[in-house]
Amino acid sequence: MNKQFETDIGLEVHAELLTKSKIFCGCSTAFGMPPNTQVCPVCLGLPGSLPVLNRRAVELAILAGLATGCTIAKELKLDRKNYYYPDLPKGYQISQFDKPLCFDGGIEIETEHGKKRVRIERIHIEEDAGKLIHDRGDETLCDYNRCGVPLIEVVTKPDLRSADEAVSFVRALREILLFAGVSSCKMQEGALRCDVNLSVREMGEEALGERTEIKNLNSFQFIKKAILDEEARQRALVSQGERVVRETRRFDSILGKTFRMREKEEAADYRFFPEPDAFTVDVPCETVSLLQASLPALPDERRAQYVTEFGLSKKDANDLVSSKHISDVFDEAAKSAENKKTLASLFTTELFRLLPGEDALIPITPKHLAEVSNLLSGGELNSSSAKKLLSFLWEKDEDPKAVCLREDLLQISDERVIFELAQNVIDSAQKAVEDYRAGKKQAFQALLGMGMKISRGKANPILLTKKLTFLLENQQKDENR
Ligand code: ZN
Ligand code: MN
């Protein structure tokens, strides 16, 4: 007898905040420095040292809350979460327990059944722990550079029903945090990490099943694989009449399976208490309004504008928000581009091809990009010359019109010049002209091709087509008369 199951997934996403220094001391947060070179008595938890709160970390956490529709608390209350582990030299983590900085938000995600809102229970601020390095046989090394790097932890309600929905949520959240400038979200550097809480229940059952937590997944692929594996494991257990045990599990990316780490801790195990070394800080309404006003347009809003206002396809709109930089440059160029679709196609065809990597910057100013777009949409350039022009500007960003003149790229759209060109073609290609008049309409392509060749690719092809057609039709009438 096969039972039908549903899966309930809630996520805890940790994101490092984009501050230059740590949350309670002046140490640098730069990634990839030699081990234990960015530490001081505060982040090492030496006796007698005291934390000083980094204001920017709080601002970024508030921005994250605003960007995800959360309510912002009136004050920041910090709590001490006690546990012993070698990556935490203080023996406790400064975090938030009962009063998170941001709460009751949510974001929309794409699912196979359409759009869906996933509720965010809370976003709290906390400090990161160090990194343990286990690749030395029996030895474990501790690198405390990461101790005290500011984090937010985004906790969702158990609203996600599948691995695909979970991945879709993390993608959407990542996009929002990137556009809001809250985090680098570099998963390969551990700047975005995800814990998965997962339970299964029989279809139609209201109450959630017992859950397990899978720790520290740092790629979309690992999130997906870990969920699929754990979901299958729990379903098999329940099908056989066994019980899921509440526990913390880890994902082995080589074996593609989750394994039991330890029994799941309860909040009480951490002996939370208000952090005695840090005061509760007021969060003034004015600060929140200022931050709200500074929040740039988020990906969903930009996509909607591109489609409804600029008439772009969904595909192009999606491609243009693939990074905030690209979207910002496009928005700026769009202000002076007469035809937004022409501008968009310059981005999606030419610029994307020229960009060497994800983090690379477009070396052409938005103003110049708009000018190239206008030359193209105004008929002064054809698309192959526009491509050449962009390659020139990519190497050296100069005035586009000047480059066109210097490199002889402008399209010939002078009616008289094109008329003479068409006459010249017809006079010198008797065979093709006769074929055309005999009804072989494909001979026209040869005539057009010849005209383009004579003009070295610069003739306006639409105008040349018009003039050739005119001459072929009218001279034929003259002869018939
Ligand atoms: Zn420090
Ligand atoms: Mn946490």
Side-chain angles (χ1 to χ4, degrees):
M1 186 181 65
N2 252 330
K3 287 179 178 168
Q4 295 278 343
F5 289 105
E6 278 200 280
T7 302
D8 299 295
I9 300 165
L11 300 178
E12 293 167 21
V13 183
H14 286 91
E16 284 182 354
L17 298 171
L18 263 181
T19 55
K20 292 200 174 70
S21 57
K22 295 185 180 180
I23 184 167
F24 296 118
C25 63
C27 292
S28 165
T29 56
F31 177 81
M33 295 302 161
N36 301 310
T37 54
Q38 305 187 125
V39 291
C40 73
V42 174
C43 52
L44 287 176
L46 300 188
S49 63
L50 287 171
V52 178
L53 183 62
N54 180 338
R55 182 191 170 94
R56 187 61 189 153
V58 182
E59 290 176 350
L60 290 173
I62 292 173
L63 277 174
L66 293 171
T68 52
C70 288
T71 304
I72 310 300
K74 296 270 174 270
E75 55 181 30
L76 174 75
K77 182 202 170 223
L78 295 165
D79 299 283
R80 191 176 283 201
K81 180 180 181 179
N82 299 277
Y83 68 99
Y84 176 77
Y85 204 62
D87 64 1
L88 191 72
K90 290 203 291 212
Y92 59 86
Q93 178 191 34
I94 301 181
S95 178
Q96 293 192 274
F97 180 47
D98 54 342
K99 291 180 172 170
L101 181 60
C102 319
F103 52 93
D104 291 347
I107 61 177
E108 278 208 334
I109 62 164
E110 292 286 350
T111 75
E112 53 177 345
H113 314 293
K115 282 195 184 288
K116 163 173 178 171
R117 184 177 151 86
V118 178
R119 291 169 299 162
I120 289 174
E121 185 176 300
R122 58 187 281 164
I123 300 179
H124 65 255
I125 200 167
E126 61 187 25
E127 58 182 332
D128 209 347
K131 206 159 43 183
L132 298 180
I133 298 149
H134 301 288
D135 60 2
R136 288 264 195 132
D138 287 345
E139 287 179 332
T140 289
L141 303 177
C142 302
D143 176 5
Y144 292 140
N145 282 352
R146 204 175 67 185
C147 282
V149 168
L151 291 177
I152 46 169
E153 180 174 331
V154 180
V155 182
T156 77
K157 295 275 189 191
D159 287 349
L160 301 156
R161 295 282 171 273
S162 67
D164 285 340
E165 286 191 13
V167 168
S168 180
F169 175 85
V170 181
R171 280 192 196 285
L173 178 65
R174 179 175 179 275
E175 223 179 36
I176 290 171
L177 297 180
L178 275 173
F179 273 62
V182 166
S183 172
S184 79
C185 294
K186 286 186 178 151
M187 296 176 96
Q188 68 280 14
E189 294 183 3
L192 192 79
R193 320 190 291 268
C194 187
D195 302 341
V196 173
N197 287 287
L198 188 149
S199 60
V200 300
R201 65 188 147 83
E202 271 183 60
M203 195 71 93
E205 194 78 44
E206 291 271 315
L208 297 186
E210 186 61 272
R211 70 171 196 255
T212 61
E213 180 174 10
I214 314 163
K215 283 287 190 192
N216 261 327
L217 301 163
N218 63 354
S219 83
F220 293 120
Q221 204 195 10
F222 294 168
I223 293 169
K224 182 164 180 170
K225 282 188 176 167
I227 289 176
L228 290 176
D229 181 63
E230 180 60 8
E231 182 178 52
R233 188 188 72 89
Q234 289 193 17
R235 286 181 183 196
L237 275 178
V238 178
S239 294
Q240 292 156 13
E242 288 180 53
R243 287 185 44 199
V244 172
V245 181
R246 181 158 186 166
E247 63 193 6
T248 300
R249 301 178 69 84
R250 66 178 177 87
F251 176 66
D252 185 312
S253 59
I254 294 163
L255 299 173
K257 288 181 120 24
T258 67
F259 292 93
R260 184 191 147 89
M261 275 167 81
R262 56 179 187 255
E263 214 169 275
K264 173 82 184 134
E265 318 72 8
E266 304 287 335
D269 296 329
Y270 290 116
R271 299 293 186 271
F272 277 100
F273 59 84
E275 171 56 48
D277 289 341
F279 294 106
T280 293
V281 183
D282 281 338
V283 178
C285 292
E286 305 81 66
T287 306
V288 176
S289 333
L290 281 174
L291 288 168
Q292 177 83 62
S294 76
L295 203 61
L298 296 172
D300 271 348
E301 192 184 325
R302 297 190 196 216
R303 266 190 287 261
Q305 189 200 15
Y306 296 164
V307 172
T308 54
E309 201 178 306
F310 295 170
L312 306 186
S313 69
K314 254 192 160 171
K315 165 90 172 62
D316 281 357
N318 254 325
D319 289 346
L320 287 170
V321 298
S322 61
S323 88
K324 179 166 183 291
H325 169 67
I326 290 171
S327 182
D328 284 347
V329 174
F330 177 78
D331 286 348
E332 193 55 37
K335 287 179 188 164
S336 39
E338 281 143 23
N339 189 322
K340 319 289 186 224
K341 283 187 186 173
T342 305
L343 179 69
S345 77
L346 282 182
F347 273 74
T348 55
T349 57
E350 294 313 312
L351 294 179
F352 284 3
R353 191 178 55 77
L354 290 165
L355 274 172
E358 220 181 296
D359 285 341
L361 301 182
I362 298 171
I364 308 175
T365 59
K367 182 170 164 280
H368 286 168
L369 289 170
E371 281 174 37
V372 176
S373 173
N374 291 343
L375 289 169
L376 183 57
S377 63
E380 288 185 74
L381 275 182
N382 60 30
S383 50
S384 74
S385 302
K387 192 171 162 175
K388 280 187 208 155
L389 175 57
L390 282 177
S391 307
F392 281 117
L393 298 178
W394 195 273
E395 294 306 319
K396 187 164 185 253
D397 192 22
E398 309 172 88
D399 180 54
K401 193 73 184 266
V403 177
C404 284
L405 293 171
R406 190 180 72 219
E407 303 293 337
D408 196 14
L409 294 175
L410 288 182
Q411 178 163 259
I412 303 168
S413 295
D414 184 314
E415 298 243 357
R416 268 189 35 212
V417 176
I418 297 289
F419 188 83
E420 276 167 27
L421 175 64
Q423 187 67 64
N424 183 359
V425 168
I426 284 177
D427 291 346
S428 56
Q430 288 301 325
K431 175 78 173 71
V433 171
E434 276 163 30
D435 285 350
Y436 180 85
R437 288 183 176 151
K440 284 191 193 162
K441 297 295 176 198
Q442 67 270 32
F444 188 83
Q445 285 310 314
L447 295 168
L448 183 62
M450 204 174 146
M452 291 306 289
K453 200 175 164 194
I454 293 171
S455 71
R456 287 183 293 121
K458 294 189 300 164
N460 180 332
I462 297 166
L463 209 52
L464 181 58
T465 300
K466 240 163 83 185
K467 297 295 173 199
L468 279 171
T469 311
F470 175 82
L471 286 175
L472 287 164
E473 300 297 329
N474 284 294
Q475 288 183 348
Q476 190 169 24
K477 274 177 203 150
D478 289 348
E479 281 160 22
N480 287 348
R481 214 182 284 151

